[in-house]
Amino acid sequence: MEDYLEKIYELMNDKGYARVSDIASSLAVQPSSVTKMLQKLDENEYVSYEKYRGIVLTQRGQRMGKLMKERHAMLAEFLRMLGVAEETIQRDVEGIEHHVSPRTLESLQALVVFFNTNPTALQSFLQFQATEAPSSEDPIARS
Amino acid sequence: MEDYLEKIYELMNDKGYARVSDIASSLAVQPSSVTKMLQKLDENEYVSYEKYRGIVLTQRGQRMGKLMKERHAMLAEFLRMLGVAEETIQRDVEGIEHHVSPRTLESLQALVVFFNTNPTALQSFLQFQATEAPSSEDPIARS
Ligand SMILES: [Mn+2]
Ligand SMILES: [Mn+2]
């Protein structure tokens, strides 16, 4: 559900409207899955949806969509900060964003702010990662 | 598939054997899902499975199961380090572990090793988090 809301919010912002076909193709799902989810989002008062009339985000839906987008951006910033490549970032963020608790998110955000506020701390981590971390012999990373 | 392999490896280590019913109840799935997955794991040569004879991990399955377990432990250590509570850790790790790329995992592990090697850096983050991070007014964290 969160994925859909995030995408609808994004389409609304970018194009001014969100069509079932656009949502379906950008989430790589069937249009029938989209209309089913729209009914659920409507029941939960995130969107107002009537077939043939289109999708409108409620205020609650706007707010939630914005939060989803901010969460995505924060997680991406965190991974970018650690030196992860852009395409990996997007894939990982899509995979994890809806499974990270508010509490963990809070800590990750604090870590982002901490490193932004203390660039020398980040610098010393990045140098550590580049030179001392046993990444190439690390069995976990190669799974 | 990774969830199943991780659980089988765990049961094997703890009890010396893994039964379909134990796997099903600990993953909260139907036994029929377990037998279906066992066939898939068998095709992929992670386990050798014959109905009524039981489950044996191949060497490849052993290795992979161990990696899954190590990955889980590393992610848990990372979140624990940031001050996340134990029950949140377990839920979050279960949610994200199979969606984190090797590259991101490598960076997170480097961060864990970095903080272990530089306890004052971790200390200064934790103090920052406790006093300066705008967590209570943070809209993302409350989604
Ligand atoms: Mn997203
Ligand atoms: Mn696990």
Side-chain angles (χ1 to χ4, degrees):
Chain A
M1 188 151 84
E2 294 187 345
D3 268 331
Y4 285 83
L5 200 52
E6 190 183 345
K7 186 54 71 187
I8 293 165
Y9 179 82
E10 227 173 272
L11 287 167
M12 290 291 208
N13 267 20
D14 292 353
K15 310 173 50 167
Y17 57 89
R19 285 183 309 197
V20 169
S21 58
D22 295 334
I23 300 168
S25 69
S26 55
L27 291 175
V29 297
Q30 295 301 316
S32 61
S33 305
V34 176
T35 52
K36 218 163 136 186
M37 186 56 78
L38 283 170
Q39 278 150 18
K40 210 172 143 190
L41 286 167
D42 191 318
E43 278 162 32
N44 284 277
E45 296 178 11
Y46 289 119
V47 308
S48 161
Y49 171 61
E50 285 172 58
K51 240 175 174 169
Y52 312 114
R53 296 202 54 192
I55 301 162
V56 179
L57 277 174
T58 63
Q59 205 175 6
R60 180 176 149 86
Q62 284 264 4
R63 206 161 47 224
M64 189 59 109
K66 187 158 176 283
L67 289 180
M68 302 293 99
K69 209 183 152 94
E70 286 171 351
R71 183 170 65 183
H72 184 115
M74 192 277 287
L75 288 170
E77 186 181 357
F78 172 61
L79 296 184
R80 198 171 292 123
M81 191 169 253
L82 302 182
V84 178
E86 212 54 36
E87 67 173 68
T88 306
I89 289 175
Q90 294 313 323
R91 209 174 49 228
D92 281 19
V93 170
E94 286 305 329
I96 71 177
E97 61 186 339
H98 306 300
H99 305 282
V100 179
S101 67
R103 178 58 186 79
T104 293
L105 219 51
E106 217 171 78
S107 276
L108 295 180
Q109 187 168 29
L111 200 53
V112 167
V113 178
F114 174 73
F115 278 143
N116 277 332
T117 317
N118 300 274
T120 55
L122 177 59
Q123 213 40 54
S124 85
F125 163 66
L126 291 174
Q127 191 159 345
F128 176 88
Q129 177 172 233
T131 58
E132 299 187 49
S135 66
S136 58
E137 303 118 67
D138 159 29
I140 302 178
R142 280 180 299 147
S143 78
Chain B
M1 189 152 85
E2 295 187 343
D3 267 330
Y4 285 82
L5 200 52
E6 189 184 347
K7 185 54 70 187
I8 293 166
Y9 179 83
E10 226 173 273
L11 287 167
M12 290 292 209
N13 267 20
D14 292 353
K15 311 173 49 167
Y17 57 90
R19 286 183 309 197
V20 169
S21 57
D22 296 333
I23 300 167
S25 70
S26 55
L27 292 175
V29 297
Q30 295 300 316
S32 60
S33 306
V34 176
T35 51
K36 219 164 135 185
M37 185 55 79
L38 283 170
Q39 278 149 19
K40 210 172 144 191
L41 286 167
D42 191 316
E43 278 161 32
N44 285 277
E45 297 179 9
Y46 289 120
V47 308
S48 160
Y49 172 62
E50 287 173 56
K51 240 175 174 170
Y52 312 114
R53 295 202 54 192
I55 301 163
V56 179
L57 277 173
T58 63
Q59 206 175 7
R60 179 176 150 85
Q62 283 264 2
R63 207 162 45 226
M64 187 59 108
K66 188 160 175 282
L67 288 180
M68 302 293 99
K69 209 183 152 95
E70 285 170 352
R71 183 171 64 183
H72 184 114
M74 192 278 287
L75 288 170
E77 187 182 356
F78 171 61
L79 296 184
R80 197 171 292 122
M81 192 169 253
L82 301 183
V84 178
E86 212 54 37
E87 67 173 67
T88 306
I89 289 175
Q90 294 313 322
R91 210 174 47 229
D92 282 17
V93 170
E94 286 304 329
I96 70 178
E97 61 185 340
H98 306 299
H99 306 280
V100 180
S101 67
R103 177 58 186 82
T104 293
L105 219 53
E106 218 171 77
S107 276
L108 295 180
Q109 188 169 29
L111 200 54
V112 167
V113 178
F114 173 73
F115 278 142
N116 277 332
T117 316
N118 299 273
T120 56
L122 177 60
Q123 212 42 53
S124 84
F125 163 67
L126 291 174
Q127 192 160 345
F128 176 88
Q129 176 171 233
T131 58
E132 298 187 48
S135 67
S136 57
E137 303 118 68
D138 158 31
I140 303 180
R142 280 181 298 145
S143 78

